[in-house]
Amino acid sequence: MPILNRAAEMQEEVAGWRRHIHSNPEILYDCHETAAFVAERLKEFGVDEVVTGIGQTGVVGLIRGNLGEGPTIGMRADMDALPLTEITGKSYASTTEGKMHACGHDGHTAMLLGAAKYLAETRNFKGAVAVIFQPAEEGGAGGLAMVKDGMMERFDIARVFGMHNMPGLPVGQFALRPGPLMAATAEFTIKVKGKGGHAAMPHGTIDPIVVGSQMVLAIQTIASRSVDPIESVVVSITKFHGGDAYNVIPEEIEFAGTIRTLKREVADKAIERMRAICQGIALAGGAVADVDIDVNYPVTFNDPEETVFATSIAKGVAGDPNVNDKINPVMGGEDFSYMLEARPGAFIFIGNGDTANLHNPAYDFNDEVIPHGVSYWVRLAETALAA
């Protein structure tokens, strides 16, 4: 089962949809124009049901097969962009300052639309396929919102599958693994309140920058000294703000970052240590620390049986040598995890080739990927729902 001829023929059309979406990026749940574009295409394809407004701006299209009664499988793509300013210089670059598709969600959406068009034309399966277009993957938990909105029950979805592009993985290749594929995430914000004063008289102050800096360094020991070296944990400080003048020690500073783990108990340990470290250093320095930790996406956990199934589909499209079914886990987070908690399924990476990395202002989805992604989705649906 190599790349479908029809998928190759559709590449230019699907790329056109992708570039339209790329030019008009929307953030988080504000995916109204993208959702309307998706819904319009689905109706043009003759999809049996097109439902909007699920999880605020999510869209689900239901395609019924011609081979009789059967279960429904879900196939999901994300629609939202990122708050970045694009520097690609492409003719179809973002037309909105400060917003761009820097993670390939434009490509994910376009490929699933291509599969929906094919499946609506052929309907060579039993049961039904629910094509799921989700907002707010980038930190907004849109996957959870759609699940809480009753999507699985409303469309009687029995199994669910997702896909994400991976820069550095050659075009035409796929990668996945059973069990934990992507990390659970937590975000933290730490405020340190001291006593401000003149920079020339530091002895009369409690310097929150010094105290906060000690916290930043000590937090690095969570991975090196508090967690079993065999386990996976990442603690990264990504923001540090404080002060406005060269000659003033500020009253307060704030820093923030993220914790990534592959196990809930490891996350709990990291959070416990972060609170203890920050409160202890604040006490020693005479300052006060406010530690706010927001537990976010759970681990993206591939069902072992569904992973075997997804691997077989990928190998049918790409050939055995081009599918890595034992990839190391990735410490990025993904809210498809909520759908995998609700239903068995699997998440797979598809090669984007030698491109800029995700979340980079120079990134662009590789349109050469389109026939591979469309073929994967079509083969997965037709095989899962074979008569």
Side-chain angles (χ1 to χ4, degrees), residues 128-307:
V129 176
V131 286
I132 302 164
F133 297 88
Q134 179 209 302
E137 189 281 324
E138 298 290 357
L144 177 61
M146 294 188 82
V147 169
K148 282 188 170 181
D149 222 355
M151 176 184 70
M152 298 299 183
E153 296 77 16
R154 178 171 183 173
F155 298 98
D156 197 24
I157 295 170
R159 304 156 71 186
V160 66
F161 299 88
M163 181 195 298
H164 203 294
N165 78 95
M166 176 177 275
L169 186 67
V171 173
Q173 293 190 14
F174 293 85
L176 72 170
R177 74 188 307 270
L181 178 69
M182 298 184 72
T185 66
E187 298 170 350
F188 58 85
T189 301
I190 299 170
K191 296 179 181 179
V192 181
K193 186 171 182 180
K195 179 182 177 183
H198 201 294
M201 306 172 187
H203 57 287
T205 72
I206 298 173
D207 191 339
I209 292 179
V210 171
V211 174
S213 297
Q214 291 173 336
M215 291 177 184
V216 169
L217 292 175
I219 283 169
Q220 307 311 309
T221 66
I222 292 173
S224 67
R225 291 296 178 270
S226 297
V227 173
D228 187 332
I230 303 301
E231 302 291 354
S232 298
V233 59
V234 174
V235 183
S236 292
I237 313 297
T238 56
K239 296 189 285 186
F240 195 113
H241 302 295
D244 298 298
Y246 289 106
N247 59 350
V248 177
I249 291 173
E251 189 85 2
E252 184 175 301
I253 64 97
E254 177 180 303
F255 64 94
T258 184
I259 300 170
R260 307 295 174 101
T261 66
L262 294 174
K263 291 182 179 177
R264 177 72 266 161
E265 56 267 30
V266 176
D268 291 343
K269 181 67 173 180
I271 289 169
E272 172 196 332
R273 290 300 301 140
M274 178 169 286
R275 292 190 188 281
I277 287 168
C278 292
Q279 297 296 350
I281 290 175
L283 179 64
V288 175
D290 178 17
V291 181
D292 181 28
I293 302 175
D294 180 23
V295 176
N296 206 329
Y297 300 169
V299 173
T300 303
F301 192 93
N302 278 347
D303 179 89
E305 291 185 11
E306 298 295 356
T307 304

Side-chain angles (χ1 to χ4, degrees), residues 117-130:
K117 181 174 183 178
Y118 182 104
L119 292 168
E121 290 173 353
T122 59
R123 299 180 184 267
N124 187 33
F125 54 92
K126 66 180 181 180
V129 176

